[in-house]
Amino acid sequence: MVRRLTAATAVAMFAVVAATAVVAQSDVVKQRQAVLKEFGTLTRPVGGMLRGSAAFDLAAVQAALDAYIKGAKALPGLFPEGSGPGPDTDALAAVWKDKADFDARFARFEADATAARAAITDEASFKANMPGVLRSCGGCHDVYRQKS
Amino acid sequence: MTASAESPARVLAWDLPTRLAKWLLAALVGLAFASKYYGDIGLVWHQWNGLAILVLVVFRLFWGIVGGSTARFAGFLRGPGAVAAYAASLLRGRPQHFLGHSPAGGWMVAALLALVAAQGLTGLFTSDDIVVYGPMTAVASDATIASASAWHQRLYPFLLALIGLHVAVNLAYSLFGRDNLIAAMITGRKPAGSFVDRAPATPGAIGRALACLAAAIAVVFGGIALAGGDPFP
């Protein structure tokens, strides 16, 4: 009887641990998607300014750059081994196959965004410096994101 | 027919609007590649380029109904029997001689137009989720944008392959075949001879071409505006 109870407890504990791991994994997917979604939301008005369809707004540009700098620090840690590829994520297997390159791209992105944050003071410096930062986004999507 | 070997008589094969549309489309498709890879990051140039391509394709559809005789779809889109007969004559080494498109060439034209149109249409709904938002993305669902963006990229290698085949076949035929197709598409004329189709071609009126162009501009820009999109990137 006692032995059976011990076994049942062990099974239950294992189930809890396993379930926690699964939840943690889907949490990490949700977390990185939230960071990247925020990038998208903050970048959209910046795109309008670059295309000339929206007025230049330094505060909005700085908000986007600040989000890039903060997000680029966090993102490499939000792609742990086993958190993709899968049905809930567009991350391709290449992320984990070339993790060093993947992480290095975020480091470069962070450095570019930091430099641009300091360099951009007006519309002219915005148009000169912002495209270089944003090219990293598409460059990474091309290699590491599923095209749906 | 009294064509001498030195200066053979030349007959009209392609009217001016057909030739202009053809070479403009070729140039714009080439520019679309350039504007994608070397253009501005917001792809504003690429989007104008795509809109111009759509206008030309719609123009060509109208011109294929009311244009010059060799430009008309009813004339050059032939059934499987005609395609098989042409293929058989090609395999025998004596291809049937056409003033306009051969049955194989006609379907190549249709395939190229269809693929270019598909690229233009999917492009309207394409976004990179970063700074590029096509004219119709404002009113399209996320799912539509994701699928159109994927198709816009997926069709690209097929378009490249089809263009490669089209160019290679025309070069080969112009070098080794019965007449210089590339020169004919530039000058509009071919040396007189015996053709399977009616020669010379009847040109379409310039005024009618201008009307087709105006209608095409109205269809593309009016269509985007009516559908709720922003036709001016």
Side-chain angles (χ1 to χ4, degrees):
Chain A
M1 182 65 202
V2 173
R3 191 171 295 168
R4 197 174 288 173
L5 199 64
T6 314
T9 312
V11 167
M13 278 173 64
F14 178 76
V16 167
V17 170
T20 313
V22 168
V23 168
Q25 202 137 98
S26 76
D27 276 356
V28 97
V29 170
K30 286 207 182 78
Q31 277 174 41
R32 70 197 189 207
Q33 285 174 346
V35 171
L36 288 158
K37 203 85 194 163
E38 196 202 3
F39 281 7
T41 310
L42 291 170
T43 306
R44 200 164 174 155
V46 173
M49 296 174 216
L50 275 176
R51 293 195 303 271
S53 62
F56 174 66
D57 175 357
L58 183 61
V61 173
Q62 289 175 339
L65 287 168
D66 288 340
Y68 300 161
I69 295 164
K70 185 160 165 270
K73 284 197 202 5
L75 280 165
L78 294 176
F79 287 84
E81 196 73 43
S83 66
D88 301 325
T89 170
D90 284 338
L92 294 171
V95 168
W96 294 275
K97 218 175 107 234
D98 305 318
K99 192 66 166 61
D101 172 68
F102 185 73
D103 292 351
R105 282 169 185 259
F106 281 118
R108 195 177 332 133
F109 181 51
E110 188 197 335
D112 289 349
T114 307
R117 180 70 171 78
I120 295 174
T121 53
D122 56 9
E123 186 161 10
S125 53
F126 163 69
K127 293 214 160 152
N129 290 286
M130 202 67 186
V133 178
L134 292 172
R135 277 184 211 279
S136 289
C137 307
C140 202
H141 287 178
D142 284 347
V143 189
Y144 295 111
R145 190 176 74 154
Q146 198 174 317
K147 298 188 205 325
S148 74
Chain B
M1 192 105 317
T2 56
S4 72
E6 286 82 42
S7 61
R10 298 166 73 75
V11 293
L12 182 73
W14 310 106
D15 62 13
L16 182 66
T18 307
R19 284 179 279 143
L20 273 180
K22 188 253 130 75
W23 291 114
L24 266 176
L25 187 57
L28 283 172
V29 168
L31 275 178
F33 296 135
S35 59
K36 165 69 177 81
Y37 293 105
Y38 306 104
D40 56 292
I41 189 164
L43 297 191
V44 173
W45 180 24
H46 187 72
Q47 290 182 43
W48 277 111
N49 204 139
L51 289 168
I53 285 174
L54 281 174
V55 166
L56 265 180
V57 169
V58 174
F59 165 83
R60 187 62 186 82
L61 294 182
F62 289 149
W63 198 241
I65 299 166
V66 301
S69 58
T70 47
R72 295 196 180 193
F73 298 125
F76 70 73
L77 294 181
R78 294 177 177 86
V83 176
Y86 181 74
S89 74
L90 200 61
L91 288 175
R92 283 197 306 273
R94 300 238 356 120
Q96 295 170 334
H97 199 198
F98 285 86
L99 176 71
H101 296 297
S102 74
W107 284 108
M108 172 57 101
V109 170
L112 281 167
L113 282 174
L115 210 49
V116 169
Q119 271 304 64
L121 287 173
T122 54
L124 292 178
F125 295 87
T126 290
S127 167
D128 66 351
D129 283 352
I130 306 164
V131 290
V132 179
Y133 291 90
M136 288 300 296
T137 50
V139 287
S141 70
D142 285 353
T144 306
I145 292 173
S147 125
S149 310
W151 277 107
H152 198 63
Q153 295 194 17
R154 219 174 276 156
L155 290 175
Y156 168 72
F158 291 95
L159 182 58
L160 273 189
L162 210 57
I163 291 171
L165 181 64
H166 169 67
V167 170
V169 167
N170 276 280
L171 275 175
Y173 195 96
S174 298
L175 288 173
F176 309 114
R178 295 183 68 163
D179 41 33
N180 189 330
L181 299 179
I182 297 167
M185 193 48 88
I186 295 170
T187 64
R189 292 176 177 277
K190 279 187 177 184
S194 61
F195 298 101
V196 178
D197 48 350
R198 192 171 54 82
T202 317
I206 298 296
R208 195 183 275 182
L210 291 175
C212 284
L213 182 62
I217 292 170
V219 164
V220 171
F221 288 89
I224 293 170
L226 277 180
D230 175 10
F232 306 109

